[in-house]
Amino acid sequence: MWNPRSRALDAALASSVTATLAAGDGLAMPPGTPPLWDGQRPTNQAEWIELGRRVFFAFPLRAEVFMEFALPRPELQAAVGVEHTPAGDFPGLVLFDDVDGRTRVGITCAVCHTTVEDGRLIIGAARRKFDYGKLRIAYHNETHEPVEAELMRRMATWGPGRADVTEDLDEDPVAIPDLWGLRDQSVLTQAGTIRHIGPAALAIRQETQLLHANHQRIRPPRELAWALAMYLYSLAPPPRESPVTPEVTRGRALFDDTCRKCHDNAAYGGEPVPAARVGTDRALADGGARGTGTYRPAPLLRIFAAGPYFHHGAVPTLEDVLSPERLQPGYTRSPLRPGPVPGHEYGTDLSADDRAALVAFLKTL
Ligand code: HEC
Ligand code: HEC
């Protein structure tokens, strides 16, 4: 069981680590740093959640030479979405003792599943500016570390907020999802690869999927995986006021008529739908490694902030999701490529007024 010494890169630690890296020196753990977990099993739900929070922010998935490269390069950070808070904390980055005994910068869940919005840390929101492919390309271009040309080409196609998390040869980068309303979902991931039958399913799949990144060398203690699941369940969008106007009320009725049959759970997600029926790009659903032939109706909490939309992040706004123009050859607003974005035609046949009402309602979720 692996319970490493690991510390989140808060402002003070980040600046000393950055100085060390800039000088080309070896990293060292601040003396007296204890292991991530003190070995005490939590005794109530609040303690489980607190431990899970520590795992989310500070349990290293793996050492990341790319982040070590980015830390002394603020312009690169800004260009690829390696974010810090106004105080200078880098959510998702840690300094830790790796399995081989070396002290390294590592990444945690929070590097993809938190974001800084107007100076505020939003925990659970996808980091849609994070361009992991671009970061890695910058690293290889400057260091001349060898890399396959084919991988370089593919990484350039990921773009911000997307990563190819499968190990197969399919070209199926997927948008990082928000982590709201997980408890209500019967399946997890965009293609619904995980039957979500309870917290253990959530904890264990996270562990196996993401720690293979660490080449199966390590397993976290069971308690940490459970605590992480409890923490994920506790995540919710930050509260906000959304006035219920007559237009919103009309939009809600339209939603109940047109959308609710699929987006039917408490977080407005639902049961997986055959990819052929929803009609969006099939590469991920049919992928060799994790293809299920389906996509899940994504939860719609805080959907106003979740663009670009769909599993591939091909549609920039909610207006575009519902617009018939998106389906036409002349469509040019996709961040991925010019041309139509087919599929999920629901609502595109409504009048412009009805679509506006529907969007007004969606923006209240
Ligand atoms: C490099 C970025 C990255 C990191 C780091 C990362 N994730 Fe994710 N996560 C993703 C992507 C991309 C997906 C979508 C995968 C898919 O749909 O196939 C995802 C999906 C998920 C889902 C499913 C959500 C849903 O709506 O179905 C959960 C839960 C999750 N991640 C939790 C975690 C946890 C916990 C950690 C840390 C142990 C973590 N992730 C680390 C990128 C990341
Ligand atoms: C037949 C089932 C079905 C119906 C009906 C349906 N949806 Fe969906 N919805 C899905 C599926 C499946 C996805 C995921 C598709 C993908 O990512 O390729 C999705 C995705 C979405 C997304 C993107 C979410 C994100 O995080 O990117 C939005 C927004 C959305 N639906 C809104 C609506 C609205 C509004 C309606 C009604 C006008 C509606 N849906 C009707 C199945 C449905």
Side-chain angles (χ1 to χ4, degrees):
M1 292 293 141
W2 198 51
N3 178 28
R5 300 200 302 161
S6 181
R7 279 181 52 172
L9 282 197
D10 59 21
L13 188 57
S15 75
S16 80
V17 166
T18 301
T20 308
L21 290 167
D25 293 338
L27 295 167
M29 224 39 203
T33 303
L36 180 79
W37 181 40
D38 62 8
Q40 299 289 318
R41 207 181 141 84
T43 55
N44 59 46
Q45 187 64 4
E47 286 175 14
W48 279 112
I49 291 173
E50 180 46 38
L51 179 59
R53 182 186 166 95
R54 221 178 309 149
V55 175
F56 187 84
F57 281 98
F59 190 88
L61 298 174
R62 57 172 181 257
E64 273 279 327
V65 70
F66 312 113
M67 291 298 180
E68 290 170 348
F69 179 75
L71 274 171
R73 293 173 172 80
E75 282 120 64
L76 178 62
Q77 290 165 24
V80 302
V82 174
E83 295 180 335
H84 57 79
T85 64
D89 306 340
F90 282 80
L93 300 190
V94 290
L95 186 70
F96 77 107
D97 286 342
D98 205 352
V99 196
D100 61 9
R102 291 170 62 202
T103 300
R104 298 289 306 275
V105 172
I107 59 167
T108 76
C109 312
V111 86
C112 292
H113 293 294
T114 68
T115 193
V116 179
E117 239 178 61
D118 303 327
R120 238 180 3 147
L121 180 65
I122 315 264
I123 305 170
R127 192 171 300 181
R128 298 195 165 84
K129 292 193 195 114
F130 182 38
D131 194 334
Y132 192 40
K134 190 172 183 179
L135 168 60
R136 290 171 58 171
I137 289 168
Y139 168 85
H140 287 292
N141 282 342
E142 194 163 317
T143 60
H144 303 293
E145 267 304 304
V147 57
E148 282 170 41
E150 170 61 12
L151 180 59
M152 283 291 263
R153 189 192 63 74
R154 286 172 59 168
M155 289 189 303
T157 68
W158 292 352
R162 305 200 316 162
D164 194 341
V165 288
T166 58
E167 296 282 286
D168 57 19
L169 294 175
D170 302 320
E171 205 132 340
D172 48 10
V174 52
I176 308 171
D178 293 335
L179 301 182
W180 322 127
L182 289 179
R183 200 189 277 277
D184 299 314
Q185 307 313 317
S186 60
V187 299
L188 298 176
T189 79
Q190 313 267 12
T193 52
I194 303 171
R195 252 292 121 201
H196 181 213
I197 44 174
L202 175 57
I204 290 164
R205 289 306 289 264
Q206 286 312 314
E207 191 183 312
T208 41
Q209 266 184 12
L210 288 156
L211 301 190
H212 82 127
N214 226 314
H215 309 296
Q216 315 285 0
R217 291 177 303 181
I218 46 146
R219 274 209 173 273
R222 276 265 153 77
E223 287 84 352
L224 297 192
W226 183 264
L228 182 58
M230 294 303 111
Y231 182 63
L232 295 179
Y233 285 154
S234 79
L235 295 175
R240 78 200 157 94
E241 300 274 320
S242 9
V244 180
T245 62
E247 191 183 35
V248 167
T249 306
R250 204 157 66 80
R252 175 188 294 277
L254 287 162
F255 186 86
D256 288 344
D257 277 353
T258 326
C259 321
R260 184 65 90 169
K261 55 180 170 285
C262 294
H263 295 271
D264 66 348
N265 67 33
Y268 304 93
E271 289 298 311
V273 179
R277 179 162 166 223
V278 67
T280 47
D281 183 283
R282 293 189 59 147
L284 182 71
D286 293 343
R290 302 201 292 152
T292 54
T294 64
Y295 290 119
R296 56 89 190 262
L300 302 179
L301 296 180
R302 208 170 188 267
I303 193 69
F304 73 91
Y309 297 101
F310 298 133
H311 71 275
H312 42 11
V315 179
T317 66
L318 288 172
E319 286 80 1
D320 287 55
V321 165
L322 295 177
S323 158
E325 272 172 52
R326 161 170 77 77
L327 310 168
Q328 300 305 319
Y331 183 71
T332 53
R333 285 199 295 278
S334 171
L336 300 186
R337 68 188 72 85
V341 182
H344 197 286
E345 296 187 10
Y346 319 109
T348 57
D349 54 350
L350 295 173
S351 72
D353 256 19
D354 282 353
R355 284 187 272 125
L358 199 43
V359 168
F361 167 69
L362 291 172
K363 287 184 176 172
T364 66
L365 299 180

